[in-house]
C-alpha cells in the first residue's frame, strides 16, 4: 500500500494540527495504521496506532489524552488530531501500514511491524 501524509506545519504551543494519511489500494481496512515521529538527533518514536476496523486504538503515554487517531475506510484515510501541542512534539511525523493479525501494544509499537511507510510531514511547535 502506498501512503501519503499531509497536514504538518508550524503552530504555537497549545495549538492544534490534524495530520492525514491517504492510502492507495483496495484492502485498506485490513491494515493496522500507525504514526511515528522522529525529532532531530533522536530515535523514531511510536505515537499511535489504530486497528483495521477503527475500533481499537493505542497511544504512547506522551500523547495520550492530547492526540486522537481515527480512520475513514471509505476514504482510505487515517487522521491524527493533535491538540494541546507542546514544543516536545516537534518532529517529522510518518504514517505506516501493517497487515497485523493481532492488535496489541506488543505488535503495534515496533517500527519493524510496519512494511509500508509514507513520507514524513514536519510538525513544529513553537514556545
Amino acid at each position: 500500500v502506498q501512503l501519503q501524509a499531509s497536514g504538518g506545519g508550524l503552530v504555537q504551543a497549545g495549538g492544534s494540527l490534524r495530520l492525514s494519511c491517504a492510502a492507495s489500494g483496495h484492502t485498506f481496512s485490513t491494515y493496522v495504521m500507525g504514526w511515528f515521529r522522529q525529532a532531530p538527533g533522536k530515535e523514531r518514536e511510536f505515537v499511535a496506532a489504530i486497528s483495521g476496523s477503527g475500533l481499537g486504538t493505542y497511544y504512547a503515554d506522551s500523547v495520550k489524552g492530547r492526540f486522537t487517531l481515527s480512520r475513514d475506510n471509505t476514504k482510505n484515510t487515517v487522521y491524527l488530531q493533535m491538540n494541546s501541542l507542546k514544543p516536545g512534539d516537534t518532529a517529522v511525523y510518518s504514517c505506516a501500514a501493517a497487515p497485523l493479525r493481532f492488535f496489541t501494544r506488543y505488535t503495534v509499537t515496533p517500527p519493524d511491524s510496519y512494511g509500508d511507510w509514507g513520507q514524513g510531514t514536519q510538525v513544529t511547535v513553537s514556545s
Side-chain angles (χ1 to χ4, degrees), residues 71-112:
R71 68 190 295 160
D72 185 341
N73 286 341
T74 66
K75 297 181 179 180
N76 281 14
T77 303
V78 293
Y79 305 98
L80 183 65
Q81 178 66 43
M82 305 186 295
N83 298 329
S84 301
L85 284 163
K86 306 174 181 178
D89 294 318
T90 295
V92 174
Y93 286 70
S94 301
C95 59
L100 296 173
R101 183 176 180 183
F102 300 107
F103 187 88
T104 74
R105 61 174 292 181
Y106 304 106
T107 61
V108 304
T109 58
D112 289 347

Side-chain angles (χ1 to χ4, degrees), residues 4 9 16 22 33 43 47 52 55 78 82 85 87 91 93 119 125 127:
Q4 179 75 36
S16 300
M33 298 298 296
E43 294 187 354
V47 175
L55 296 178
V78 293
M82 305 186 295
L85 284 163
Y93 286 70
Q119 91 294 353
V125 184
S127 58

Side-chain angles (χ1 to χ4, degrees), residues 14-16 47-48 57-69 80-86 89:
S16 300
V47 175
T57 53
Y58 185 75
Y59 298 92
D61 288 343
S62 59
V63 307
K64 197 175 297 181
R66 301 188 297 122
F67 290 12
T68 302
L69 184 55
L80 183 65
Q81 178 66 43
M82 305 186 295
N83 298 329
S84 301
L85 284 163
K86 306 174 181 178
D89 294 318

